[in-house]
């Protein structure tokens, strides 16, 4: 049958070219279901509307009476839009895959997202853009694995965190699609491929696409017009503020070009000037192409770069919103699934009530962010990335409470986050139990903390009421936020309910101090976070080959010599300098293993290697002290590693692997390495765990490690593709940046299987013995074990034996087995002597009380005592308090016992004195202030510290005046 236009019998809409297409009308949603015509439900209508090609359901008119809708220009414009806008709904995960596959076809290396935690970059707390982990390739610090790359990078930005939830636009976590060139392709290819992807892969209508270029970038405008075929009237030139990228006052920079999508007049502001760059929602910018082609100098001038780079960025969630015909990232399929799960838990419907929608959006965004942060090894803390995570978790929990959610709920939503993202981020599923444990632990901590915070806020409000204040100070607001996790808006809300306000300006000052401290802690940095060192003066293509896995000595060349500031040609005896060579057997400090030491010999001199460190771009720096003659740059040299030290380090490093495996077996799979130090003397291993380890657990862990040593497990190291290592189940270090090929250390055929570039034993028996020295907490959720191996265990045993012998002599016992019994006996003797001493002191105090009281005088019907007692300490005060408490007459008893190293004032009042207005806490507070001290307490008794002992007499002399103010 020949296709032709059909009209809907309900509203006369012209349908698409399909026979009987009017049975489902895309305008009024009329259908003929067989039982006569009817209108579909809105849910059915939305699906069919999108099936018929509409780009956004907001275009749907609310028509139920066809006679009210005449055949106007508006009507036909809508029909035209329906017919022409045939975008295919695409899931977020499919969009990510299509983008990465497309650029793989352009010979770009596809790389998995890097960790959210920056590596060797002091300028960033967290990764905020797709290009951020690739900075070393842009700056020349490192040689890229390929000159063309493409990634979908996890990012977190917290600059607008207070607005998250209040709008449907703001979020902290997002993914950034990017393709990059490091001195390879440039504008022509970047523009052509971008246009090909959006028009041929995504099939976006060309007449809805607009382009912006930098106002002076004629080259880009010409390529868009002649190569891509974009009409000149759709290419908009914009100024430096909008279309020129630069970071700081110097460094690489360049113009950029953006791609916009016209969402239609219904999204516009209606102004005649509405167009690309307008603040309204009509023209949506979704892809930015940065052409890094200039070097900016501090004087404001620009010169062309020898190596031009491409850096593009496109927000995946924003693209998904465009392709799915929704207005907000919270309506995108994978994000919406999380949003709907939260609504299900809270028992609310999204879109019905603004305040609840705010809370749902906050939790939706924050649970995505903290799930990915946890998977990258970040733990909640009070500084750095951990502070960001703690803040996000606590905001989410707080908004859960606002929704009426009781109990722990984050763990339930994590499953949805994992399910929606595991196709690309398989580590989420692998670390699911760990992620749940981290977030649940922090949620529990905050639930305990928030109650203490509310108690403090109630006390602050009570104090304000008592003192006639109406504004809570900025420092108190900051303390509630920083210590108790109360965001300022929560504090403000509670205060307003009680008729008070918050000093927001003072709060911001405290916040700025904290930000400044954090920036200082991160340290200064040059362009894009790359710290300039003397090693940047060496050609970036030059690198050092490490041969130390196979041999401990080799012949090489002293290619470069350097001081801290400059490259030099010669180093003489007595000088300490750096030596860089093309080949070395010395292991450079990495992964917690310290650098090797040893010797370097040349024809003219000898040097002791004090340390070995990684420099930039694959170079290894040997810190050397010239001990004989001189060494010149370029000389042939012989390198020899200190063998005994290397073996001791290897014992501890292999033991660290055994220790992690044992900890996971005893404590659970949530255990992951959080840091380590492996040197010749010990192993220090930090790991994730949320409670103290019991002595029994510690003993079991130590036993498992020693059993692995006694079993003489073979230690096999092998290089393999990273995908193969992951399939084997090898553990990777959280946040570490790995290449396409990794080194895997396999102990005991799977007893321990880890990614590791360090040096190891060949058999566990070479470790000798393993002994845990200590176990402690180093941070919230992080424990530390220190242990020794081999000869250091023998050394530890000898030290302990020496102490036992000394203890025997001191305790006068011949048999070491009797030491414990003797110690317990001495302790009991000490307790008995202490009891006797305390009893004597109380007797002395009781005897002294009468004499001291006799020195008192009458003050308006109250007997006042104010005395300095040189032979009395605070341990005798209890007897004075008891005596005054039992007295029938009105007594105010003030003394300063100066026998203690840090003396205190005591004030105690009898019931009769209190009835006359006396108050121990208030009295002692004023008296202590005269001696630069502080204190206070209850009406019947109170103590206060003494800041300046020389002022005690003057303070006591003022007792009559101070007490007199209270007596009625």
């Amino acid at each position: 049958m020949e296709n032709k236009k059909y009209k809907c019998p309900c509203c006369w809409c012209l349908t698409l070219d399909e026979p009987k297409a009017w049975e489902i009308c895309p305008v009024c949603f009329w259908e003929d279901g067989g039982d006569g015509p009817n209108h579909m439900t809105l849910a059915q209508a939305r699906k069919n509307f999108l099936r018929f090609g509409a780009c956004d359901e907001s275009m749907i008119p609310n028509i139920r009476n066809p006679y009210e809708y005449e055949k106007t220009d508006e009507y036909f414009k809508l029909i035209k839009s329906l017919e022409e806008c045939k975008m295919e709904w695409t899931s977020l995960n499919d969009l990510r895959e299509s983008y990465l596959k497309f650029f793989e076809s352009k010979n770009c290396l596809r790389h998995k997202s890097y960790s959210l935690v920056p590596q060797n970059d002091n300028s960033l707390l967290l990764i905020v853009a797709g290009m951020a982990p690739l900075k070393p390739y842009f700056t020349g610090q490192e040689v890229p694995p390929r000159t063309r790359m493409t990634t979908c990078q996890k990012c977190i930005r917290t600059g607008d965190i207070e607005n998250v939830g209040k709008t449907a636009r703001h979020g902290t976590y997002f993914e950034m699609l990017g393709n990059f060139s490091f001195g390879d392709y440039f504008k022509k290819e970047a523009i052509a491929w971008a246009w090909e992807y959006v028009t041929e892969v995504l099939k976006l209508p060309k007449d809805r696409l607009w382009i912006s270029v930098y106002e002076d970038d004629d080259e880009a405008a010409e390529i868009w017009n002649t190569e891509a075929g974009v009409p000149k009237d759709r290419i908009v030139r914009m100024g430096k503020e909008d279309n020129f990228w630069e970071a700081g006052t110097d460094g690489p920079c360049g113009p950029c070009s953006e791609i916009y999508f016209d969402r239609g007049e219904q999204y516009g502001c209606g102004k005649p000037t509405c167009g690309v760059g307008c603040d309204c929602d009509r023209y949506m910018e979704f892809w930015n192409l940065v052409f890094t082609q200039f070097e900016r100098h501090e004087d404001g001038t620009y010169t062309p770069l020898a190596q031009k780079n491409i850096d593009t960025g496109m927000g995946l969630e924003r693209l998904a919103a465009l392709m799915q015909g929704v207005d907000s990232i919270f309506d995108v399929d994978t994000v919406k699934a999380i949003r709907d799960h939260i609504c299900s838990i809270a028992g609310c419907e999204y879109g019905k009530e603004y305040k609840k929608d705010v809370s749902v959006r906050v939790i939706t965004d924050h649970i995505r962010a903290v799930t990915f942060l946890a998977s990258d090894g970040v733990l909640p803390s009070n500084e750095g990335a951990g502070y960001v995570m703690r803040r996000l978790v606590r905001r989410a929990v707080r908004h859960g409470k606002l929704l009426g959610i009781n109990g722990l709920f984050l763990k339930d939503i994590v499953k949805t986050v994992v399910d929606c993202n595991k196709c690309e981020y398989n580590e989420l599923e692998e670390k699911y139990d760990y992620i749940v444990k981290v977030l649940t632990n922090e949620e529990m901590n905050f639930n305990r903390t928030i109650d203490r915070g509310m108690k403090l806020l109630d006390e602050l409000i009570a104090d304000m009421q008592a003192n006639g204040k109406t504004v809570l100070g900025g420092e108190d607001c900051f303390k509630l936020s920083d210590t108790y996790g109360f965001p300022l808006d929560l504090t403000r809300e509670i205060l307003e309910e009680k008729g008070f306000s918050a000093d927001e300006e003072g709060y911001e000052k405290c916040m700025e101090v904290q930000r400044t401290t954090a920036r200082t802690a991160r340290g200064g940095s040059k362009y894009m976070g790359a710290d300039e060192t003397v090693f940047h003066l060496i050609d970036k293509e030059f690198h050092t080959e490490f041969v130390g896995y196979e041999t401990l000595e080799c012949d090489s060349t002293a290619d470069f010599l350097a001081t801290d500031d400059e490259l030099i040609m010669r180093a003489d005896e007595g000088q300490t300098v750096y030596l860089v060579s093309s080949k070395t057997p010395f292991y450079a400090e990495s992964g917690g293993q310290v650098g090797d030491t040893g010797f370097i010999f040349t024809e003219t001199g000898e040097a002791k290697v004090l340390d070995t460190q990684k420099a930039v771009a694959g170079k290894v720096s040997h810190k050397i002290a010239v001990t004989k003659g001189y060494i010149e740059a370029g000389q042939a040299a012989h390198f020899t590693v200190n063998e005994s030290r290397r073996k001791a380090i290897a014992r501890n490093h292999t033991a660290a692997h055994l220790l992690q495996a044992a900890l996971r077996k005893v404590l659970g799979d949530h255990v992951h390495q959080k840091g380590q130090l492996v040197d010749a003397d010990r192993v220090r291993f930090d790991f994730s765990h949320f409670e103290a380890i019991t002595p029994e657990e510690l003993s079991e862990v130590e036993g498992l490690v020693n059993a692995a040593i006694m079993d003489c497990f073979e230690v096999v190291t092998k290089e393999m593709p990273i995908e193969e290592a992951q399939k084997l189940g090898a553990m990777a270090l959280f946040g570490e940046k790995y290449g396409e090929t990794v080194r895997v250390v396999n102990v005991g055929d799977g007893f321990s299987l880890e990614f590791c570039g360090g040096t190891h034993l060949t058999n566990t028996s070479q470790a000798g013995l393993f002994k845990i020295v200590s176990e402690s907490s180093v941070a919230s959720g992080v424990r530390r074990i220190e242990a020794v191996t081999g000869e250091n265990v023998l050394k530890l045993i000898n030290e302990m034996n020496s102490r036992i012998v000394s203890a025997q002599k001191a305790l006068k016992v011949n048999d070491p087995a009797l030491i414990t019994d003797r110690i317990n006996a001495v302790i009991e003797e000490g307790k008995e002597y202490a009891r006797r001493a305390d009893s004597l002191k109380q007797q002395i105090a009781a005897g002294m009380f009468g004499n001291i009281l006799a020195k008192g005088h009458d003050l308006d019907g109250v007997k006042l005592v104010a005395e300095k007692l040189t032979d009395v300490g605070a341990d005798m005060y209890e007897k004075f308090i008891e005596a005054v408490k039992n007295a029938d007459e009105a007594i105010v008893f003030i003394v300063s016992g100066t026998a203690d190293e840090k003396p205190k004032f005591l004030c105690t009042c009898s019931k009769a004195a209190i009835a006359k207005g006396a108050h121990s806490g208030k009295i002692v507070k004023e008296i202590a202030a005269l001696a630069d001290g502080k204190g206070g307490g209850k009406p019947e008794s109170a103590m206060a510290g003494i800041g300046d002992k020389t002022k005690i007499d003057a303070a006591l002399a003022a007792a009559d005046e101070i007490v007199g103010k209270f007596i009625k």
Side-chain angles (χ1 to χ4, degrees):
M1 183 185 295
E2 181 182 352
N3 289 358
K4 61 179 181 178
K5 300 278 187 185
Y6 282 81
K7 290 183 180 180
C8 169
C10 176
C11 67
W12 309 303
C13 164
L14 288 174
T15 68
L16 302 178
D17 293 337
E18 182 181 341
K20 296 188 178 181
W22 49 263
E23 290 182 354
I24 304 174
C25 175
V27 173
C28 70
F29 314 131
W30 183 93
E31 70 172 353
D32 187 346
D35 299 324
N38 65 288
H39 286 90
M40 295 184 292
T41 65
L42 188 58
Q44 293 171 311
R46 283 175 174 160
K47 291 180 182 177
N48 285 318
F49 187 74
L50 291 171
R51 191 179 77 122
F52 271 83
C55 61
D56 195 288
E57 59 185 62
S58 64
M59 294 167 58
I60 303 171
N62 185 19
I63 303 168
R64 288 297 174 265
N65 183 346
Y67 298 102
E68 294 178 0
Y69 198 64
E70 301 296 336
K71 296 180 180 180
T72 61
D73 289 341
E74 181 185 357
Y75 167 82
F76 284 109
K77 190 179 292 182
L78 174 62
I79 302 306
K80 185 174 185 294
S81 173
L82 291 175
E83 292 178 355
E84 294 179 355
C85 185
K86 299 177 182 177
M87 289 161 50
E88 183 177 349
W89 188 96
T90 313
S91 73
L92 179 141
N93 287 322
D94 286 344
L95 283 170
R96 184 198 298 112
E97 186 63 22
S98 78
Y99 180 90
L100 295 173
K101 277 190 173 179
F102 175 81
F103 280 99
E104 272 190 297
S105 73
K106 304 302 181 185
N107 202 30
C108 291
L109 172 65
R110 174 174 175 169
H111 199 292
K112 274 184 70 71
S113 173
Y114 293 94
S115 169
L116 281 165
V117 182
Q119 299 294 304
N120 303 316
D121 186 348
N122 292 328
S123 68
L124 293 174
L125 201 59
L126 292 166
I127 294 299
V128 296
M131 59 77 64
L134 308 177
K135 286 180 182 181
Y137 306 145
F138 283 111
T139 60
Q141 279 183 285
E142 297 179 20
V143 178
R146 196 179 298 173
T147 53
R148 300 178 178 188
M149 288 183 69
T150 183
T151 64
C152 183
Q153 176 62 43
K154 302 173 291 188
C155 303
I156 286 183
R157 295 178 184 172
T158 57
D160 278 332
I161 191 172
E162 296 297 340
N163 287 319
V164 173
K166 294 178 182 177
T167 74
R169 289 182 176 184
H170 289 88
T172 60
Y173 174 82
F174 63 96
E175 295 178 61
M176 182 72 80
L177 297 166
N179 59 284
F180 311 94
S181 165
F182 313 108
D184 192 319
Y185 65 84
F186 199 49
K187 290 183 187 179
K188 184 176 180 179
E189 294 84 355
I191 289 172
W193 296 341
W195 188 250
E196 180 184 350
Y197 180 70
V198 298
T199 60
E200 297 183 23
V201 179
L202 298 182
K203 300 187 186 306
L204 294 178
K206 293 182 180 180
D207 61 356
R208 284 177 173 256
L209 294 171
W210 289 73
I211 306 299
S212 72
V213 297
Y214 177 53
E215 57 191 357
D216 294 335
D217 194 355
D218 297 332
E219 181 186 9
E222 180 68 17
I223 295 171
W224 278 115
N225 178 231
T226 60
E227 301 286 338
V230 179
K232 287 185 178 181
D233 60 0
R234 286 185 174 271
I235 301 172
V236 180
R237 292 179 183 259
M238 302 177 78
K240 199 170 186 179
E241 183 177 342
D242 298 299
N243 278 74
F244 196 93
W245 180 87
E246 54 189 348
T249 58
D250 62 344
C253 58
C256 56
S257 180
E258 297 171 312
I259 307 177
Y260 291 77
F261 183 78
D262 180 1
R263 304 174 72 198
E265 289 184 10
Q266 65 275 17
Y267 286 95
C269 56
K271 297 176 183 177
T273 56
C274 184
V276 171
C278 185
D279 290 334
C280 70
D281 294 331
R282 176 171 178 175
Y283 296 93
M284 177 181 175
E285 181 270 310
F286 65 95
W287 200 350
N288 188 13
L289 318 178
V290 179
F291 313 125
T292 311
Q293 64 185 91
F294 297 115
E295 177 85 20
R296 178 187 166 110
H297 306 285
E298 291 189 0
D299 61 3
T301 60
Y302 299 84
T303 55
L305 281 173
Q307 175 183 300
K308 297 178 172 61
N309 303 316
I310 289 292
D311 160 26
T312 83
M314 174 162 56
L316 177 58
E317 290 84 355
R318 176 176 284 205
L319 177 63
L322 176 63
M323 295 302 298
Q324 295 178 16
V326 295
D327 292 339
S328 162
I329 62 170
F330 295 97
D331 298 316
V332 168
D333 60 329
T334 57
V335 186
K336 181 178 179 295
I338 301 165
R339 186 198 79 189
D340 291 346
H341 190 175
I342 295 164
C343 288
S344 173
I345 294 173
C348 65
E349 183 179 348
Y350 187 74
K352 291 291 185 182
E353 185 180 333
Y354 173 73
K355 282 190 175 181
K356 289 187 176 181
D357 287 352
V358 168
S359 293
V360 169
R361 286 192 289 263
V362 167
I363 301 170
T364 301
D365 171 78
H366 289 6
I367 192 64
R368 295 176 77 214
V370 297
T371 297
F372 279 95
L373 281 168
S375 77
D376 281 341
V378 179
L379 287 172
S381 68
N382 288 329
E383 59 184 14
Y387 179 72
V388 173
M389 185 177 187
R390 171 159 285 169
R391 190 178 181 197
L392 292 173
V393 171
R394 293 186 170 190
R395 287 188 95 238
V397 173
R398 177 211 158 206
H399 279 276
K401 291 182 180 294
L402 293 178
L403 287 173
I405 301 175
N406 296 315
L408 304 174
F409 69 95
L410 295 184
K411 57 184 173 57
D412 299 323
I413 313 170
V414 169
K415 184 66 167 62
T416 304
V417 179
V418 172
D419 287 344
C420 289
N421 293 278
K422 64 185 179 184
C423 61
E424 176 66 16
Y425 303 104
N426 58 302
E427 65 270 19
L428 292 176
E429 194 164 38
E430 295 167 4
K431 299 171 183 173
Y432 173 74
D433 291 338
Y434 169 78
I435 295 168
V436 166
K437 196 145 193 170
V438 169
L439 298 186
T440 300
N441 187 67
E442 181 63 15
E443 188 176 5
M444 291 170 62
N445 287 342
F446 182 51
N447 283 338
R448 290 191 290 265
T449 303
I450 201 169
D451 293 334
R452 295 200 298 270
M454 281 302 305
K455 182 180 179 181
L456 173 62
L457 184 52
D458 288 342
E459 290 174 357
L460 291 170
I461 290 173
D463 186 67
M464 290 166 65
Q465 289 171 331
N467 293 285
K469 297 180 180 178
T470 59
V471 181
L472 182 63
E475 290 186 5
D476 288 326
C477 293
F478 179 75
K479 182 178 180 181
L480 284 164
S481 171
D482 191 52
T483 306
Y484 297 98
F486 275 44
L488 180 62
D489 53 349
L490 174 60
T491 302
R492 185 195 306 121
E493 185 178 321
I494 295 171
L495 289 171
E496 287 175 352
E497 289 173 0
K498 299 181 181 295
F500 299 101
S501 61
D503 175 14
E504 299 190 28
E505 185 177 340
Y507 170 84
E508 283 302 322
K509 287 180 180 177
C510 293
M511 281 296 295
E512 185 55 37
V513 169
Q514 186 184 68
R515 293 187 194 106
T516 301
T517 303
R519 284 194 295 268
T520 303
R522 291 202 295 274
S525 60
K526 298 292 184 181
Y527 165 66
M528 297 170 73
D531 291 325
E532 290 289 341
T533 69
V534 68
F535 304 109
H536 284 83
L537 300 173
I538 302 173
D539 187 344
K540 71 177 180 180
E541 299 296 332
F542 180 92
H543 69 277
T544 306
E545 178 190 2
F546 175 62
V547 296
Y549 293 134
E550 299 82 21
T551 180
L552 294 182
E553 57 180 298
C554 75
D555 292 319
S556 186
T557 310
D559 293 281
F560 299 95
L561 296 171
T563 64
D564 288 326
D565 305 312
E566 61 181 346
L567 296 177
I568 58 176
M569 293 305 298
R570 170 171 163 157
D572 294 307
E573 185 176 332
Q575 274 190 279
T576 298
V577 298
Y578 303 102
L579 184 152
V580 178
S581 60
S582 59
K583 184 168 66 174
T584 183
F586 286 81
Y587 180 84
E589 182 172 336
S590 180
Q593 178 177 328
V594 297
D596 279 334
T597 61
F599 300 92
I600 295 176
F601 305 93
T602 72
E603 185 180 358
T604 60
E606 298 177 6
K608 185 175 183 180
V609 179
L610 307 175
D611 192 15
T612 310
Q613 294 285 329
K614 287 184 177 181
V616 296
K619 300 170 183 62
V620 170
S621 163
H622 309 80
K623 185 176 182 180
I624 65 169
V626 182
T627 57
K628 182 178 179 182
Y630 63 90
I631 295 177
E632 289 185 338
Q635 274 188 317
H638 186 74
F639 292 61
T640 302
V641 175
N642 182 327
E643 183 175 3
S644 62
R645 183 172 180 273
R646 166 73 82 83
K647 286 182 178 178
I649 294 170
R651 282 195 289 270
N652 285 331
H653 200 159
T654 300
H657 284 226
L658 296 175
L659 174 59
Q660 177 163 229
L663 285 166
R664 288 171 66 85
K665 291 179 190 300
V666 174
L667 303 179
D669 290 342
H670 65 277
V671 170
H672 284 272
Q673 179 183 327
K674 301 302 295 180
Q676 71 173 9
L677 173 64
V678 177
D679 60 21
D681 299 321
R682 59 176 174 156
V683 53
R684 188 184 75 199
F685 188 78
D686 296 346
F687 57 98
S688 51
H689 190 56
F690 306 96
E691 57 193 2
I693 302 176
T694 66
E696 293 76 18
E697 289 170 333
L698 210 58
S699 178
E700 186 178 355
V701 167
E702 187 176 88
L704 283 172
V705 175
N706 278 309
I709 293 172
M710 299 301 178
D711 286 338
C712 304
F713 285 149
E714 190 177 4
V715 181
V716 179
T717 58
K718 184 179 178 182
E719 287 193 350
M720 62 183 72
I722 190 169
E723 294 83 2
E724 183 181 337
Q726 289 169 335
K727 287 178 183 176
L728 288 174
M731 286 187 66
L733 186 63
F734 272 128
E736 187 68 28
K737 188 187 291 185
Y738 295 101
E740 296 301 304
T741 302
V742 295
R743 190 166 180 267
V744 175
V745 177
N746 187 350
V747 183
D749 194 22
F751 180 87
S752 169
L753 191 64
E754 295 186 39
F755 289 32
C756 185
T759 62
H760 285 274
L761 305 173
T762 57
N763 191 287
T764 57
S765 62
Q766 295 168 319
L769 283 172
F770 173 85
K771 180 63 183 174
I772 293 175
V773 177
S774 66
E775 189 276 334
S776 60
S777 171
V778 292
S780 176
V782 180
R783 309 293 299 181
R784 170 175 292 174
I785 283 178
E786 296 201 30
V788 291
T789 61
E791 294 175 356
N792 288 314
V793 176
L794 296 177
K795 182 180 177 182
L796 179 66
I797 291 172
N798 289 334
E799 289 176 355
M800 293 176 68
N801 187 60
S802 177
R803 289 172 188 163
I804 291 171
V805 170
S806 296
Q808 282 182 251
K809 289 180 179 178
L811 295 168
K812 298 180 180 179
V813 294
N814 295 323
D815 186 352
L818 299 175
I819 288 178
T820 302
D821 292 338
R822 181 60 185 140
I823 289 174
N824 288 332
V826 169
I827 290 172
E828 285 303 317
E829 288 173 11
K831 288 179 180 178
E832 179 59 28
Y833 286 136
R835 283 192 290 269
R836 291 179 185 178
D838 186 60
S839 176
L840 287 171
K841 286 179 181 179
Q842 297 305 317
Q843 292 175 34
I844 293 168
M848 292 176 66
F849 179 73
N851 294 332
I852 299 169
L853 187 63
K855 297 179 180 180
H857 61 278
D858 182 76
L859 178 69
D860 297 332
V862 172
K863 176 169 277 191
L864 173 62
V865 175
E867 292 290 326
K868 182 167 73 172
L869 307 174
T870 56
D871 296 326
V872 171
D875 54 355
M876 299 170 72
Y877 283 177
E878 191 62 39
K879 204 66 181 178
F880 295 151
I881 294 170
E882 182 184 349
V884 171
K885 180 181 177 181
N886 294 327
D888 293 326
E889 62 181 313
I891 300 171
V892 174
F893 190 88
I894 306 168
V895 293
S896 66
T898 60
D900 298 331
E901 184 179 349
K902 294 182 179 180
K904 293 184 177 67
F905 284 115
L906 166 70
C907 179
T908 177
C909 301
S910 66
K911 291 181 181 179
I914 293 171
K916 287 179 170 288
H919 189 292
S920 296
K922 295 178 180 179
I923 292 170
V924 82
K925 181 179 180 181
E926 290 195 32
I927 287 177
L930 297 176
D932 301 337
K934 292 181 180 179
K938 299 177 180 178
E940 56 272 20
S941 66
M943 285 191 282
I946 297 170
D948 187 344
K949 297 179 185 178
T950 65
K951 296 180 180 180
I952 292 176
D953 292 331
L956 291 173
D960 278 54
E961 181 183 350
I962 292 171
V963 174
K965 292 190 297 184
F966 295 94
I967 303 302
K968 298 174 184 176

